[in-house]
Amino acid sequence: MKMPTLAEKTSLAEKTCTPCRGGVPPLGRAEAEALLAAAPDWTLMDEARRIERGFRFGNFREAAEFVRQIGELAEAEGHHPDIAFGWGYATISLQTKKIGGLHENDVIMATKIDRIFSRRQGLPAGRM
């Protein structure tokens, strides 16, 4: 898989999630993989029906603050991930439940979440 250009990463992160009313087919595996080039640290899960990424932190407070920021983003975008977190970690999962799979909105959110994480100073950008 080719590495995404900065322009490709930026273009998705600059988009706003659009309301999904259902009736739209979910992305196929090839489409999802192509879009995920803009969010390479995310993993396709459940036969390409959702994406997930783990994040590591130095303590519980940092993980909780990250989750709070994602909550604000989710409300602003109208697109809400599943989140699990605890001492030193957060795991984020995205899918569009109305269509039972992935939509461009999920990758838009992933790129925006990646931006939130990359802004954190002094933290390793390691995956779980």
Side-chain angles (χ1 to χ4, degrees), residues 37-82:
D41 292 326
W42 292 76
T43 303
L44 278 174
M45 308 289 287
D46 298 334
E47 298 179 10
R49 288 193 306 265
R50 70 181 175 93
I51 55 175
E52 184 173 284
R53 180 175 176 194
F55 300 86
R56 293 217 179 260
F57 302 92
N59 56 47
F60 184 82
R61 180 173 293 170
E62 291 170 2
E65 174 59 19
F66 179 66
V67 167
R68 184 194 67 73
Q69 291 174 5
I70 293 171
E72 287 182 9
L73 172 65
E75 285 298 303
E77 294 289 330
H79 195 68
H80 302 86
D82 291 329

Side-chain angles (χ1 to χ4, degrees), residues 12 27-29 31-55 79-83 91-97 101-114:
L12 276 177
L27 296 174
R29 178 176 291 278
E31 294 169 301
E33 287 173 347
L35 279 176
L36 271 182
D41 292 326
W42 292 76
T43 303
L44 278 174
M45 308 289 287
D46 298 334
E47 298 179 10
R49 288 193 306 265
R50 70 181 175 93
I51 55 175
E52 184 173 284
R53 180 175 176 194
F55 300 86
H79 195 68
H80 302 86
D82 291 329
I83 302 172
T91 303
I92 313 299
S93 178
L94 289 157
Q95 86 170 149
T96 300
K97 292 167 184 72
L102 291 172
H103 184 277
E104 182 184 47
N105 288 341
D106 299 303
V107 183
I108 290 170
M109 283 295 290
T111 60
K112 290 177 184 245
I113 290 168
D114 286 349

